[in-house]
């Protein structure tokens, strides 16, 4: 008789819980899950501890899964209760408090311990590692009564701890055995620049020093060194490295080297027992960074959920130092070895250093200091292993910014000060020039000060040109802007990380990618929500709280807080019966304005929010999505149905396209049109995709726009049949969905990437079929949002005001 | 006016909002991710946008009309815009989830 498989996880940390989360998403109710954690907390983001010390982030902000989450997912959680023994024959685990749990599958995710140097006096009070919330709390508490701190270890962790202690107001000495800081990640030049910057911040260094003993009575009072010197210290942080926590594994009889030995499927030497994270050793390597642990977790989850996986093949890692005001990046080989060549750029005035290491025309390493904006692209080149022959210098120095519109600059120079540059926010040239004069040196800063570029963004080229004009040389290298003020990461880096680490919620993305604002902003949240939905159409649960009001209430918010309702009218073709129904509803609900839209539909304006579900119910028509980043209309002319010039059935084609793609979410709104002849009465040449009938076929045009900036569409191809129109449209829309920035219309996207790249992606029939398969899968999960709300009281409640007001005597 | 009961915590989705009309004031009641409840006058100082329809990020809300960002604790508008709205004291009865606001 079969029973639900019992899964036990030892270790409530990032790697183990990551695996569990992933399993939950892949297979519901396949396992009965129990988790044991040594720490008395729910699962939290360990890599953010240095940010907690640095201030601005609270301990509560770094919780990944709170207590409720475990309950909601039927996970039994024992915290503060480590597993002390495993019976691998009887298949059960026993915890410190004596709890016994039987398992079918056991995952070891015991993590690692700080390596504590076995120095005389190392057991004194005030000598700790830097690993968990408790260590953080000790540091924060100690800083209230003591002033002198010593950090042993000048590596990544030691420097982050030291920076945190400085923030807590302590006087900090960093003791490092080596001559150079972060010698495992940096070459000498970068290391010296780092040391200089940190000394400016007030950190003190004792280099090439071997600590001999820790002195004091019950509590630490100081350190002595092998060369005879000594310093005072009330708090000592040991940050010389980590060792995989393998005690339990050894006692159980698992094969252990440095870590628990696992194969490509994270299987240990005993069947049924797996290991992931810092405690595991894969192909000789025990990783201590988050990205590899997540990749391991994804592989194990797939394995356990019975999904096909190619296995884990190891990770190339990169490092960033999370210390405010100091930007350091390192990946791969940072010191040349025989057979490698390197290129360097060093600018001691601005404190910038860049080095790339090349072997056989491939990038194998990079070190960046002072400006790490190229870190992500360089890292992806290291991982891809592609040839960079001929591009070496360009990679090192970055792309030249080129000629930023000479004619535009001279035009702007002659413009009067009171002329408006940003039409949405009424910002004049004079205001922007003044902001630049007051020190704004990027478009983002100008946006913060003046709001220019803050709405539709159409004036960004002018603002950039004004920057060139008035700030000129002083702005230097253009600063890389992230998707919003919450991050410096761009769209591609974010989407890559989502894929590589299989990130599955907006909160998780912001956590792992170290968002500056823990809950993001109105720009990044909808963007992340879109990218996740695009990547994982089956698994991802759309977060309505990360959508703009229009897409939450499925109507278009108006300036007075009322909404407008546009039912779908396929191809702009309606009937007397449908018109009567719309008229009846409009009268019943006192709709103040009924208007034809630009896309051949009827819009009911001035609808009160509480009337929306009722109106939808009585209309009994699908949502026209006239409010969303989605397919809007497919405008058609009458075509050969009545027109004497029409060459094809434009109406039929348009209706077929609208029915095929209604409800699809896209990076920005998408408008289609079908014209029955080249006279183009449906204005197909200013649409995101326009179809123009010719005798015996159809021409497809893409990237047109009649909005912020008029842009005529570009010719994509000619096809013969309606099926081919659908196939090309499917492929084009999906390619756009997968590659454009959120909120980027096709016109801007094509300007940015070039039509050539799109033709190349679509010209091969197999590629088109694959894209079409993916858009069809996504569409298969879509539902009419109006019907959804009508039938769901929990969604419907949000359309009504609260009731039950009563005065309380107090 | 004193303390008024305005429904239950379960009436408001996390990072969501509901409104209530109290005499001539429309109040927006928000539930933040940490479980706390905030109540403010439902009117953006810019063009009167309904803040209840805005996106909640941390302890701020973005007005749906022109993206002004307003702190729900202080009522202050974030820079570069200027302004302030009225905030109301809120309490949640931990035993039964009832929400009270003080006007």
């Amino acid at each position: 008789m079969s029973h639900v498989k019992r899964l036990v996880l030892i270790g409530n940390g990032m790697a183990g819980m990551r695996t569990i989360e992933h399993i939950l998403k892949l297979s519901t109710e396949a396992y009965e899950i129990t988790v044991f954690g040594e720490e008395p907390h729910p699962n939290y983001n360990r890599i953010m501890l240095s940010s907690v010390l640095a201030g601005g982030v609270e301990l509560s902000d770094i919780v990944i899964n709170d207590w409720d989450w475990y309950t909601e997912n039927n996970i039994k959680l024992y915290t503060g209760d480590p597993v002390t023994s495993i019976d691998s024959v009887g298949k059960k685990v026993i915890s410190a408090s004596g709890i016994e749990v039987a398992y079918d599958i056991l995952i070891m995710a015991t993590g690692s311990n700080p390596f504590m140097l076995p120095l005389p006096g190392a057991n004194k009070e005030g000598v700790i590692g830097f690993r968990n919330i408790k260590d953080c709390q000790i540091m924060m508490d100690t800083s209230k009564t003591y002033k002198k701190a010593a950090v042993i270890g000048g590596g990544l962790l030691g420097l982050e701890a030291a920076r945190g202690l400085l923030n807590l107001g302590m006087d900090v000495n960093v003791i490092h055995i080596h001559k150079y800081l972060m010698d495992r990640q940096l070459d000498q030049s970068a290391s010296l620049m780092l040391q200089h910057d940190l000394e400016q911040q007030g950190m003190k260094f004792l280099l090439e020093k071997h600590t001999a003993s820790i002195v004091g009575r019950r509590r630490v009072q100081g350190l002595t060194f092998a060369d005879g010197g000594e310093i005072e210290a009330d708090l000592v942080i040991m940050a010389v490295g980590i060792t995989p926590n393998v005690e339990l594994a050894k006692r159980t009889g698992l094969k252990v080297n440095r870590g628990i030995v696992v194969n490509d499927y994270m299987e240990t030497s005993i069947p049924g027992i797996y290991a992931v994270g810092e405690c595991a050793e894969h192909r000789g390597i025990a990783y201590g960074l988050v990205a590899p642990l997540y990749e391991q977790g994804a592989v194990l989850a797939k394995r356990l959920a019975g999904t096909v996986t190619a296995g884990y093949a190891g990770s190339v890692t990169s490092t960033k130092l999370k210390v405010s005001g100091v930007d350091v990046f390192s990946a791969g080989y940072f010191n040349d070895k025989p057979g490698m060549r390197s290129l360097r750029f060093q600018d001691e005035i601005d404190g910038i250093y860049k080095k790339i290491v090349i072997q056989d025309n491939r990038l194998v390493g990079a070190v960046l200091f002072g400006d790490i904006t190229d870190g992500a692209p360089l890292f992806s080149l290291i991982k891809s292993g592609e040839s960079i022959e001929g591009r070496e210098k360009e990679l090192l120095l970055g792309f030249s910014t080129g000629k930023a519109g000479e004619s535009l600059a001279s035009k702007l120079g002659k413009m009067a000060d009171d002329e408006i540059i940003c039409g949405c926010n009424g910002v004049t040239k004079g205001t922007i020039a003044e902001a630049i004069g007051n020190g704004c040196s990027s478009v983002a800063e100008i946006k913060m000060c003046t709001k220019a570029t803050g709405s539709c963004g159409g004036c960004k080229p002018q603002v950039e040109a004004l920057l060139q004009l008035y700030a000129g040389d002083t702005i230097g290298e253009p600063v890389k802007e992230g998707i919003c003020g919450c991050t410096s990461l761009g769209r591609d880096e974010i989407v890559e990380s989502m894929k590589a680490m299989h990130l599955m919620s907006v909160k998780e993305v912001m956590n792992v990618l170290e968002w500056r604002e823990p809950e993001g902003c109105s720009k990044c949240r909808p963007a992340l929500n879109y990218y996740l939905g695009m990547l994982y159409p089956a698994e991802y649960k759309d977060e309505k709280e990360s959508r703009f009001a229009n897409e939450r209430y499925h109507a278009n918010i108006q300036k007075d807080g009322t909404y407008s309702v546009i039912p779908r009218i396929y191809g702009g073709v309606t009937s007397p019966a449908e018109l009567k129904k719309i008229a009846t509803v409009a009268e019943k609900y006192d709709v103040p304005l009924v208007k034809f839209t630009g896309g051949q539909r009827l819009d009911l304006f001035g609808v009160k929010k509480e009337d929306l579900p009722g109106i939808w119910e009585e209309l009994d028509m699908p949502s026209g999505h006239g409010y969303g980043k989605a397919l809007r209309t497919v405008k058609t002319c009458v075509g050969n149905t009545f027109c004497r010039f029409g060459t094809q059935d434009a109406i039929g084609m348009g209706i077929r396209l609208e029915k095929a793609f209604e409800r699809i979410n896209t990076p920005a709104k998408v408008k289609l049109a079908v014209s029955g002849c080249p006279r183009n009465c449906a204005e197909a040449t200013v649409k995101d995709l326009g179809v123009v009938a010719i005798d015996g076929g159809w021409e497809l045009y893409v990237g047109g726009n009649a909005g912020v900036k008029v842009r005529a569409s570009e010719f994509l191809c000619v096809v013969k049949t309606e099926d081919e129109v659908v196939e090309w449209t499917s492929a084009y829309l999906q390619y756009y969905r997968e590659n454009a920035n959120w909120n980027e219309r096709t016109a801007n996207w094509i300007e940015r990437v070039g039509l050539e790249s799109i033709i190349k992606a679509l010209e091969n029939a197999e590629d088109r079929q694959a894209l079409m398969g993916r858009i069809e899968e996504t569409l298969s999960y879509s539902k009419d949002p109006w019907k959804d709300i009508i039938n769901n009281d929990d969604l419907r409640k949000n359309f009504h005001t609260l009731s039950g007001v009563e005065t309380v005597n107090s | 006016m004193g303390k008024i009961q305005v429904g239950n915590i379960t009436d408001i989705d996390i990072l969501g909002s509901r409104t209530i009309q109290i005499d001539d004031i429309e109040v927006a009641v928000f539930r933040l991710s940490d479980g706390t409840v905030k109540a403010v006058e439902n009117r953006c100082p810019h063009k009167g946008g309904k803040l209840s329809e805005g996106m909640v990020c941390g302890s701020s809300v973005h007005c749906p009309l022109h993206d002004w960002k307003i702190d729900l604790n202080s009522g202050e508008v974030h820079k570069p815009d200027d302004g302030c709205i009225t905030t109301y004291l809120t309490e949640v009865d931990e035993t039964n989830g009832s929400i009270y606001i003080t006007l």
Side-chain angles (χ1 to χ4, degrees), chain A residues 220-467:
Chain A
V220 57
Q221 289 175 328
L223 298 177
T224 66
F225 301 112
D227 63 6
E230 56 180 51
I231 57 163
E232 288 177 36
D234 313 307
L235 176 68
V236 174
I237 314 296
M238 291 224 201
V240 292
I242 55 173
T243 49
N245 183 0
V246 294
E247 274 312 301
L248 180 61
K250 274 188 185 161
R251 270 187 272 134
T252 309
L254 293 172
K255 187 175 177 205
V256 172
N257 288 334
R258 190 171 132 69
I260 304 168
V261 177
V262 294
N263 64 14
D264 288 359
Y265 297 101
M266 315 319 291
E267 293 164 340
T268 68
S269 58
I270 297 181
I273 305 185
Y274 301 79
V276 281
E278 290 178 329
C279 66
E281 176 181 321
H282 172 262
R283 299 190 191 176
I285 302 174
Y287 294 93
L289 295 165
V290 71
L293 313 188
Y294 276 12
E295 287 168 25
Q296 292 177 356
V299 168
L300 176 57
K302 282 186 184 159
R303 185 72 165 177
L304 294 179
T307 314
V308 181
T309 165
Y312 176 64
S315 303
V316 183
T317 57
S318 69
T319 327
K320 261 194 284 184
L321 182 65
K322 296 191 294 295
V323 163
S324 60
V326 184
D327 292 325
V328 183
F329 172 88
S330 163
Y333 293 95
F334 57 91
N335 269 329
D336 319 16
K337 295 203 166 130
M340 295 178 186
R341 293 171 301 139
S342 66
L343 261 75
R344 284 161 234 238
F345 169 83
Q346 188 160 7
D347 168 0
E348 298 224 330
I349 298 166
D350 290 333
I352 290 170
Y353 177 73
K354 295 181 179 186
K355 173 178 178 178
I356 58 175
V357 183
I358 298 155
Q359 184 173 33
D360 300 333
N361 291 323
R362 285 170 176 78
L363 191 64
V364 293
V367 177
L368 303 174
F369 183 88
D371 174 8
I372 58 169
T373 47
D374 293 335
L378 288 175
F379 185 48
S380 72
L381 280 176
I382 293 173
K383 284 197 291 188
S384 76
E386 68 192 75
S387 170
I388 57 158
E389 196 174 4
R391 287 194 289 151
E392 297 90 343
K393 287 178 189 166
E394 192 177 282
L395 288 175
L396 182 76
L397 299 170
F399 297 92
S400 75
T401 48
K403 40 198 185 320
E406 261 100 33
S407 61
L408 180 61
S410 70
K411 225 189 286 172
L412 286 164
K414 288 177 215 146
M415 193 184 266
D417 272 357
D418 61 353
E419 272 196 59
I420 303 244
I421 300 283
C422 174
C424 298
N425 297 299
V427 187
T428 60
K429 177 196 157 188
T431 309
I432 294 170
E434 194 185 311
I436 297 168
N438 290 336
C440 287
S441 60
S442 68
V443 175
E445 284 171 16
I446 292 173
K447 180 162 70 184
M448 274 305 290
C449 297
T450 68
K451 300 215 101 179
T453 74
S455 299
C456 83
C459 58
K460 200 169 164 201
Q462 283 97 312
V463 174
E464 276 167 354
L466 283 172
L467 257 178

Side-chain angles (χ1 to χ4, degrees), chain A residues 448 451 519-520 522-523 525 544-545 548-549 552-553 559 563 609 797-798 800-802 804-806 808, chain B residues 3-6 11 13 15 18-20 33 53-58 62 64-65 67-68 80-81 100:
Chain A
M448 274 305 290
K451 300 215 101 179
E519 289 188 16
S522 58
K523 293 261 183 308
R525 284 248 304 275
K544 74 172 161 44
E545 66 273 18
F548 180 63
R552 245 178 302 142
Y553 300 116
K559 63 177 187 175
Y563 285 85
K609 186 176 161 193
K797 73 169 191 297
N798 291 318
H800 298 286
T801 54
L802 286 170
V805 183
E806 63 181 69
V808 177
Chain B
K3 206 150 113 178
I4 295 163
Q5 192 196 332
V6 295
D11 294 332
D13 296 342
L15 297 181
R18 300 286 298 276
T19 62
I20 187 158
S33 60
E53 316 297 280
M55 196 180 297
V56 179
C57 299
H62 291 261
L65 295 194
D67 207 37
W68 278 33
D81 303 307
Y100 299 92

Side-chain angles (χ1 to χ4, degrees), chain A residues 754-802:
Chain A
L755 182 67
E756 286 306 307
S757 71
I758 291 165
I759 290 175
K760 208 170 152 207
L762 304 183
E763 65 191 355
N764 182 328
E766 274 173 29
D767 294 340
R768 283 199 303 280
Q769 291 293 338
L771 286 160
M772 186 162 157
R774 294 203 286 279
I775 202 169
E776 282 175 350
E777 195 207 341
T778 303
L779 283 160
S780 74
Y781 301 113
S782 73
K783 284 183 292 186
D784 182 66
W786 290 358
K787 294 237 162 30
D788 229 24
I789 292 167
I790 291 168
N791 298 320
N792 182 333
D793 287 342
D794 198 42
L795 294 174
R796 206 164 165 158
K797 73 169 191 297
N798 291 318
F799 289 81
H800 298 286
T801 54
L802 286 170

Side-chain angles (χ1 to χ4, degrees), chain A residues 544-564:
Chain A
K544 74 172 161 44
E545 66 273 18
S546 293
R547 284 187 177 262
F548 180 63
N550 285 3
E551 295 185 344
R552 245 178 302 142
Y553 300 116
H554 294 279
N556 210 326
I557 194 166
Q558 306 297 321
K559 63 177 187 175
D560 58 355
T562 63
Y563 285 85
S564 89

